[in-house]
Amino acid sequence: MKLLEDKIKRDGLILGDDILKVDSFITHQIDIELMKAIGQRLATVYTENKITKVVTIEASGIAPAIYAADFLHVPLVFAKKSKNVTLTDELLTTEVFSFTKKVTSTVSISHKYLSPEDNILIVDDFLANGQAASGLVDIIQQAQSNIAGVGIVIEKSFQDGRKLLQDKGLQVTALTRIGKFENRQINFLEADDAYLD
Amino acid sequence: MKLLEDKIKRDGLILGDDILKVDSFITHQIDIELMKAIGQRLATVYTENKITKVVTIEASGIAPAIYAADFLHVPLVFAKKSKNVTLTDELLTTEVFSFTKKVTSTVSISHKYLSPEDNILIVDDFLANGQAASGLVDIIQQAQSNIAGVGIVIEKSFQDGRKLLQDKGLQVTALTRIGKFENRQINFLEADDAYLD
């Protein structure tokens, strides 16, 4: 997605060797028009797939997932990272390790929001090691729902996440793919939605 | 907001004496069309206020806040509940106790996203004891931004949150106000946006 690549080049900050900060427009402050374009792009890729629900994980996956769900005209379900006294139903759970936050979280979705009739689009902001997305895949497969694909805003293609998901037979649609960081510049690979630019 | 009251009456679940579950359309699974109407309504109330940013707190505040920001054509900033290695800027922080989750969290916003020129609309899904909203007020006041008001999806009016905010001189706009639970039914008070129905 050219619009997003350009925005990352202009406003993304590179810290150290491999940390990209996009908190001025994606992960802390949200540029609404850009996020809408991101959701619309993901919806366009999956428009023929008869998606019934979009699934993401709190918190920074919610914004792109909302607009994907909006343009697909389906509900959004977001997985929770902590237990809550108001969430007492039968929960589907899995363990997710965050390399960024160095913590393992129990991630859960109420079973009643996923069924074998569902055809799910997973959406998340980053794909790096693939731990969060794999956790969502695990939960969704516990419910025997189908997974049409995984839509990602920014993929760190030098890490293992894509391979991990593809080895499970899943289609990954990354709107931007970072091949490597070099001299504080980003080398982008061709994105999965480049045919739509 | 009559549409929202009707939805709560139809699909909200009452647990025990005072817990309302709206996880089938607001806090876990999101009804996108309803959420869009909620955001639009909050934007309508504050349309003359020259809002520059919407501020909320992760995670379930993000959805209504996104659509409020969308209809106001301003960015959204969401406060974070945990520290993250990619969030290294000067942080404005406060402590928030959650009565629901029984934990105290350090909540933070990067100082660079709030300035004395900003005129903020705070948005959150629930107002009960007012701890989360008060934490946001504290952070925003540290940045010397102005607060135009606090937009709430569901207020538990039998708890102290509204008074706490009003005592700080803040305008509270609750789209639904729960006066009490009685025999597993909800008694609604007149909502702050009733004049728009």
Side-chain angles (χ1 to χ4, degrees):
Chain A
M1 185 175 177
K2 177 101 177 41
L3 179 75
L4 178 59
E5 265 182 28
D6 291 346
K7 179 75 173 176
I8 293 170
K9 281 179 192 161
R10 199 168 55 244
D11 293 337
L13 290 176
I14 299 167
L15 298 184
D17 289 333
D18 65 348
I19 293 177
L20 171 66
K21 272 185 65 149
V22 289
D23 68 338
S24 68
F25 53 104
I26 292 181
T27 54
H28 187 22
Q29 177 168 258
I30 292 173
D31 177 327
I32 299 285
E33 289 309 314
L34 178 71
M35 202 55 87
K36 207 183 292 192
I38 286 168
Q40 184 165 26
R41 177 57 65 92
L42 289 172
T44 301
V45 173
Y46 288 93
T47 191
E48 302 296 333
N49 287 69
K50 297 190 168 65
I51 302 297
T52 61
K53 283 186 183 173
V54 173
V55 170
T56 189
I57 183 167
E58 64 180 19
S60 47
I62 294 176
I66 277 186
Y67 283 113
D70 188 333
F71 284 101
L72 287 166
H73 307 291
V74 298
L76 166 67
V77 176
F78 64 95
K80 304 259 187 176
K81 282 182 187 160
S82 63
K83 284 172 187 165
N84 186 305
V85 294
T86 66
L87 208 66
T88 51
D89 302 297
E90 190 190 343
L91 294 179
L92 305 172
T93 67
T94 195
E95 301 290 312
V96 172
F97 178 73
S98 164
F99 286 88
T100 320
K101 297 186 181 176
K102 313 288 182 209
V103 292
T104 297
S105 312
T106 300
V107 172
S108 57
I109 295 181
S110 289
H111 199 160
K112 63 180 170 181
Y113 301 127
L114 294 173
S115 83
E117 285 69 47
D118 276 319
N119 189 33
I120 304 292
L121 173 62
I122 293 173
V123 170
D124 208 0
D125 55 339
F126 271 93
L127 177 64
N129 297 287
Q131 299 302 301
S134 292
L136 292 179
V137 168
D138 180 33
I139 288 176
I140 294 164
Q141 289 180 339
Q142 288 177 48
Q144 298 180 283
S145 310
N146 187 59
I147 300 172
V150 182
I152 296 294
V153 180
I154 301 174
E155 176 187 287
K156 292 178 164 179
S157 309
F158 52 89
Q159 291 184 281
D160 298 331
R162 169 180 287 256
K163 183 170 184 329
L164 195 67
L165 296 173
Q166 287 179 336
D167 286 350
K168 294 176 198 280
L170 296 169
Q171 182 190 337
V172 177
T173 302
L175 302 188
T176 55
R177 302 187 64 211
I178 298 176
K180 58 181 173 180
F181 296 95
E182 203 167 38
N183 303 321
R184 306 230 153 203
Q185 300 284 317
I186 299 172
N187 281 10
F188 285 102
L189 305 181
E190 184 176 76
D192 297 304
D193 65 321
Y195 67 99
L196 290 167
D197 273 327
Chain B
M1 186 176 179
K2 177 101 176 40
L3 179 74
L4 177 60
E5 265 183 29
D6 291 345
K7 179 76 172 174
I8 293 169
K9 281 180 192 162
R10 198 168 56 242
D11 293 337
L13 289 176
I14 299 166
L15 297 184
D17 289 334
D18 64 349
I19 294 178
L20 171 66
K21 272 184 67 150
V22 289
D23 69 338
S24 67
F25 54 103
I26 293 182
T27 54
H28 186 22
Q29 176 169 259
I30 292 173
D31 178 327
I32 298 285
E33 290 308 314
L34 178 71
M35 202 55 88
K36 206 183 292 191
I38 285 168
Q40 184 166 25
R41 176 58 64 93
L42 289 172
T44 301
V45 172
Y46 289 93
T47 191
E48 302 296 333
N49 288 68
K50 297 191 168 66
I51 302 296
T52 62
K53 284 186 183 173
V54 173
V55 170
T56 189
I57 184 168
E58 64 180 18
S60 48
I62 295 176
I66 278 186
Y67 283 112
D70 188 334
F71 284 100
L72 287 166
H73 307 291
V74 298
L76 166 67
V77 176
F78 64 94
K80 305 259 188 176
K81 283 182 186 161
S82 62
K83 283 171 187 165
N84 186 305
V85 295
T86 66
L87 207 67
T88 52
D89 302 299
E90 190 190 342
L91 294 180
L92 305 171
T93 66
T94 195
E95 301 290 312
V96 172
F97 178 72
S98 163
F99 286 88
T100 320
K101 297 186 179 176
K102 314 288 182 209
V103 293
T104 298
S105 313
T106 301
V107 171
S108 58
I109 295 180
S110 288
H111 199 160
K112 63 180 169 180
Y113 302 126
L114 293 173
S115 84
E117 285 70 47
D118 277 318
N119 189 33
I120 304 291
L121 172 62
I122 294 174
V123 170
D124 207 0
D125 55 339
F126 271 93
L127 177 64
N129 296 288
Q131 299 302 300
S134 292
L136 292 178
V137 169
D138 180 33
I139 288 175
I140 294 164
Q141 289 180 339
Q142 287 177 48
Q144 299 180 281
S145 310
N146 187 59
I147 300 172
V150 182
I152 296 293
V153 181
I154 300 173
E155 176 188 286
K156 291 178 166 180
S157 310
F158 52 90
Q159 292 184 280
D160 297 333
R162 169 179 288 256
K163 182 167 185 329
L164 195 67
L165 297 172
Q166 287 180 335
D167 286 351
K168 294 176 199 282
L170 296 169
Q171 181 191 338
V172 176
T173 303
L175 302 188
T176 54
R177 303 186 64 211
I178 298 176
K180 59 180 173 182
F181 296 94
E182 203 169 38
N183 303 323
R184 305 228 154 205
Q185 299 284 317
I186 299 172
N187 281 10
F188 285 102
L189 305 182
E190 184 175 78
D192 297 304
D193 66 321
Y195 67 98
L196 290 167
D197 275 326

